[in-house]
């Protein structure tokens, strides 16, 4: 469920919580009327869009984590992805994966 689209340098980044989270009773739509299940921690995904190929590439994803819940944005700085969330007191960061061979 992309929450925000954001330009990060020359990359268009989308970030958001997982739409279908089995640990939370399924899809967000299926639990929308249940306050306990709607506050359940969902995993997240951050991806970038390539306008030339019209394809998405996943930059990072993770299982539910109460420390970074309701992910809403991602920003790239060098080789690091910074992740912001609507329900967190701080931000998270993840190194970007390197392609085989170690070169970028």
């Amino acid at each position: 469920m992309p929450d925000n689209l954001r330009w990060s340098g020359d990359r268009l980044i989308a970030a958001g919580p997982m739409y279908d989270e089995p640990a939370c009773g399924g899809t967000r739509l299926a639990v929308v009327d249940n306050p306990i299940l709607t506050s359940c921690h969902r995993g997240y995904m951050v991806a970038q869009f390539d306008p030339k190929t019209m394809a998405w590439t996943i930059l990072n994803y993770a299982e539910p984590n109460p420390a970074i819940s309701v992910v809403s944005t991602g920003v790239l700085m060098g080789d690091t992805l910074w992740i912001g969330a609507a329900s967190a007191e701080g931000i998270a960061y993840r190194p970007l994966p390197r392609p085989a061979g170690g070169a970028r």
Side-chain angles (χ1 to χ4, degrees):
M1 291 183 324
D3 187 40
N4 283 301
L5 291 173
R6 171 178 306 264
W7 283 106
S8 184
D10 61 351
R11 302 180 192 205
L12 183 61
I13 307 294
M18 294 292 193
Y19 177 69
D20 190 358
E21 183 65 65
C24 294
T27 67
R28 183 81 163 113
L29 185 58
V31 301
V32 73
D33 292 328
N34 184 324
I36 293 171
L37 293 177
T38 55
S39 63
C40 179
H41 300 293
R42 292 178 173 267
Y44 70 86
M45 184 177 299
V46 181
Q48 73 179 10
F49 181 72
D50 183 340
K52 292 179 184 173
T53 63
M54 301 295 286
W56 288 95
T57 302
I58 296 172
L59 297 175
N60 187 254
Y61 66 94
E63 296 176 350
N65 181 340
I68 187 81
S69 187
V70 192
V71 165
S72 60
T73 194
V75 175
L76 292 167
M77 294 193 68
D79 290 339
T80 304
L81 172 65
W82 292 87
I83 302 165
S87 295
E89 292 183 12
I91 58 176
Y93 65 93
R94 302 288 183 263
L96 292 178
R98 294 203 171 265
R104 277 210 179 265

